[in-house]
Amino acid sequence: MFDFDRIKSLLNQRRPGHALPAALYNDPAIYDFDMTAIFHQFWLMVGFDVELPDPGNYLGLTIGKSPVIIVRDRTGVLRGFHNSCRHRGAQICETGHGKTARLVCPYHQWTYDLSGKLVYAGRMQADFDPAAHSLKPIHVETVAGSIYICLADTPPPFEEFRDRVTPLLAPHDLLNAKIAVSATLIEKGNWKLVMENARECYHCQAKHPELAITFPLDATAHFAADAAGYVDRFNARMEAGGLPVGPVEGDWWQAIRFPLTAGNVTMSMDGKPLVKTPMIAIDGGDVGSMRWALEPQSFSHAFGDHLFMFTAWPLGPEETLVQAKWLVHKDAVEGVDYDPEQLAHVWNQTNFQDRDLVENNQRGVHSAGYTPGPYSVEAESLVLRFVDWYCDAASRYIEAAR
Amino acid sequence: MFDFDRIKSLLNQRRPGHALPAALYNDPAIYDFDMTAIFHQFWLMVGFDVELPDPGNYLGLTIGKSPVIIVRDRTGVLRGFHNSCRHRGAQICETGHGKTARLVCPYHQWTYDLSGKLVYAGRMQADFDPAAHSLKPIHVETVAGSIYICLADTPPPFEEFRDRVTPLLAPHDLLNAKIAVSATLIEKGNWKLVMENARECYHCQAKHPELAITFPLDATAHFAADAAGYVDRFNARMEAGGLPVGPVEGDWWQAIRFPLTAGNVTMSMDGKPLVKTPMIAIDGGDVGSMRWALEPQSFSHAFGDHLFMFTAWPLGPEETLVQAKWLVHKDAVEGVDYDPEQLAHVWNQTNFQDRDLVENNQRGVHSAGYTPGPYSVEAESLVLRFVDWYCDAASRYIEAAR
Amino acid sequence: MFDFDRIKSLLNQRRPGHALPAALYNDPAIYDFDMTAIFHQFWLMVGFDVELPDPGNYLGLTIGKSPVIIVRDRTGVLRGFHNSCRHRGAQICETGHGKTARLVCPYHQWTYDLSGKLVYAGRMQADFDPAAHSLKPIHVETVAGSIYICLADTPPPFEEFRDRVTPLLAPHDLLNAKIAVSATLIEKGNWKLVMENARECYHCQAKHPELAITFPLDATAHFAADAAGYVDRFNARMEAGGLPVGPVEGDWWQAIRFPLTAGNVTMSMDGKPLVKTPMIAIDGGDVGSMRWALEPQSFSHAFGDHLFMFTAWPLGPEETLVQAKWLVHKDAVEGVDYDPEQLAHVWNQTNFQDRDLVENNQRGVHSAGYTPGPYSVEAESLVLRFVDWYCDAASRYIEAAR
């Protein structure tokens, strides 16, 4: 199906420390490969437990062109399925959130229970075996109220990620949160250009005036600021409050609690909290940001007063959907304790600005004169990490496949 | 041009009695193959004699991306041509209905008579031979007032179809009919999903409330209802009226007259006639439906009072245009003898509902978890027939081509 | 990257004197080949010196998907660059006209001077060598105020074109002109169909009523009219005025001064001047048209009162952008000395009419019955020249590449 020799050759053309050859950013065949070798192999962040509070709540998503469902079953456990009827393949649940007692295919009403078992199929012949036609499962895991899926038969080990990130994330009490705002944005750019953009703040000073107010622009690896005394004092204060700071990291994930710029409590236009009801009580919510990120497609910032999630969903070789969600404490009252527009302002503006940058980058890599340049080791360390990870993951897939 | 090994391999992957592998529903290369191996090889229903009443009347159509014309010549015979000038290939006639004394290319006015002969080409050199530059013909046949074309050099034999269907269709007197309504609809689905949808009523009970009023939902092969006594009485009544009922069928076609649900004369919201002037006088027009269908792209229902035609025209791997036409007796007066909106209501609603089902089916077959499931032998017998026919036709094309 | 065997086979299928096989007009792989083998190898006309009057003025263009910039440097010389940052490839200048002191990448503010030298890149490591990261140059040449670019490493020799066309074009004084009107038009047709259409007036009598007023419709090679006495008198008059008439030509270009139809001074609706301030004073501006054309993508007409330029920019296998510009003397005052709408009327109408013809031609070459027909040797000599040139250029590229 894939021309592995060509893909391997492109991967080999990449110079260490440099951006990728153009075809890896704009070729339809590479996009198809990425969907299979990356998005169908690795853990993808999809959202939060509180989006699926009760048995029967489901969330429909599309990975590339492949529809999946996450559903809370009768026992309260989250399960995932390929969202395709075992009869003629029709999509069973709509994309987005819903609630249903059973999963009923809209075409011929084949009906599955919440564990994926086929419990009704009308007019079928005597030798038809319903037990052989359950929905096909996908893997679902959760970490302190956040949800991840994997479409691989054998996913990368998840335990270390959960074990090491839980202590950093659990204090933010996501099981007592709610979605306050969600937004989607389509960027006419390859998903890797979207993620490279999302992995550095080298462009923030000039391009993100709102974000630059509170974001430590000189941050290097793990978004840790260089100003050692400042960071040390922050870390000591967090320790006193019982909050671990990390950093912790694995092959495809990383997490750290880091301080915002001096005097600022959250990422807002004035550094002051956006929500009156904090998610975390320690130091009045002045706990910096607990940022965690997964390759290939997410990063999130948990502040004292709210949480921001960014996930990227490829739609085509040069088109990516960005899904953003903002969470607040479940008891915070919209219009009283927080203003949704203000809550989302900094990151909405940042996302709009990044869309322009990504689309411009995409146009430029089509240039016959495009030559991958060197990343700044200091300012683009996490881009380097992402691109290195991508090349390794792609190469490993090819080795395993042939 | 085609990767026959791959296509053959996909055809071989199909399990008997089951739906097709996903690539056969969504791969652009398979779509290109289908256009050549199916749509350019088999008879396609295009419409009715009464759409081209006089010499010079023409109908322009596009098969995939290939424009063709059907034109009534000076002797009253229907002829078909590739709609492409023999000079630089410009399309000669517009798509749709028109009338012209000669076929004049709009580019440089090369002019053909209605038999396709080049009769004028300006400023050409002395050694130019007009006789070698006639329009390229395609095959056209008619059956009791309905029109079929084939783009193959050697079409499948047509005589048996004409001979056996004429007795069933001729009583509906299509040469004295007129087009009352026509409608087109674009479905974002592969043409085979459109046709599978059109070949069964397993989904009608839940999805087609309007159609379900009069359509025998429990129909099996040939749309014959199971209720033997009821069908026997209908058949006896038709025999008494001199109307054959069939079924008759060949490799790529079938026809049958079958009864609607009890008490209903036509497919309408109340089962009562939609047109005051009947097309057929026997039993006051209470003659059930004479349904005939051709693989790959049509079915039609001739009732006592009107006729409904459904044809499918692939536009791309995941896009199909549906053309629907409703015919009534030529003497029926619009607004007096029939209401066009009411006439088209049941099948328009049915087509809209089917569009949703087809588009949903298309999304689902993209699932990484899609596995072709088994058809219901009882409820999807004509889908099975269609899919088996498709696989056979595709395989035969490949065998012949290499 | 390219399937040279297939392309060579298609080129070999072409019969001498005939149009091209369909795939050369509609196949995406051929389009990609054309972009590389033609548009990235030959000289392309882009506009005029007066569009970039001062140091820092730039013009951004896209060749296929490849963005380039032409900029006037500090010394007044025009330079061209691939419009792609040497860091991560972002497009540096917007498409269209602009002015800037330095070329600053909008992504991370890498900054180049007008000679393309990298003069600023923030936060880069010590071993980063700015001198190795200048913008990649492209070739730029000018002829009597008109501008041409070439993306090839080694462009075709330009000197002969400049030397032989300068005497014909220089009297039109383009360095003292200005752009009065510019227009773009997207045609849903392959660029070769656009250019074939632009290389003949066989279709003008029937399709271009406005153009037909002043254009010598019976023109053959080089747009020279057959009426020898008339042309001889025109040529003698031009000689008396000191204006050479040519024809001159090379492999990929041609130029000639030819007379309009009798009594007409410029291409307008009444043959009278459209601009009160002439570009050329001889004989009151009654100097016919100095037409010059370059394969693959331009033709221009310089009249006594104005100049019309036509360039074609492929956007996809079946989509081409046409850029038209009208120039007048720099001292001509809009609304006083000329009416922009009247100035552009004849060629705007002609372009709209040609768009319909090209799009119709494109539809027709998709026909399964399309067979390339013979060109008229008399009426389509320049189409023949274009198509022969294309086949030769494509074949030479293939020979050199393998």
Side-chain angles (χ1 to χ4, degrees), chain C residues 131-147:
Chain C
H133 292 86
S134 298
L135 289 182
K136 296 208 166 176
I138 63 170
H139 299 271
V140 182
E141 294 283 358
T142 62
V143 176
S146 56
I147 307 175

Side-chain angles (χ1 to χ4, degrees), chain A residues 3-6 8-9 12 395-402:
Chain A
D3 183 348
F4 286 137
D5 287 339
R6 174 169 177 249
K8 190 72 194 163
S9 163
N12 288 342
S395 297
R396 283 200 308 268
Y397 182 86
I398 293 172
E399 293 313 312
R402 52 181 190 180

Side-chain angles (χ1 to χ4, degrees), chain B residues 40 65-67 82-95 105-110 121-125 128 133 136 151, chain C residues 196-197 200 202-203 206-207 217-219 318 357 360-361 363-380 383:
Chain B
H40 282 210
K65 290 192 164 181
S66 191
H82 288 288
N83 191 2
S84 174
C85 184
R86 294 297 307 274
H87 178 215
R88 281 161 58 183
Q91 183 172 322
I92 297 170
C93 295
E94 296 279 325
T95 301
C105 179
Y107 207 162
H108 304 93
Q109 292 67 58
W110 284 29
R123 297 175 73 177
M124 292 303 291
Q125 41 273 28
F128 173 69
H133 292 86
K136 296 209 166 177
L151 277 62
Chain C
E196 290 191 38
N197 172 275
E200 47 96 354
Y202 186 12
H203 65 274
K207 294 295 162 181
L217 301 182
D218 55 347
E318 303 187 31
L357 294 171
N360 185 67
N361 199 355
R363 287 193 294 273
V365 296
H366 276 292
S367 165
Y370 168 70
T371 312
Y375 296 111
S376 164
V377 171
E378 181 222 302
E380 294 172 298
V383 184

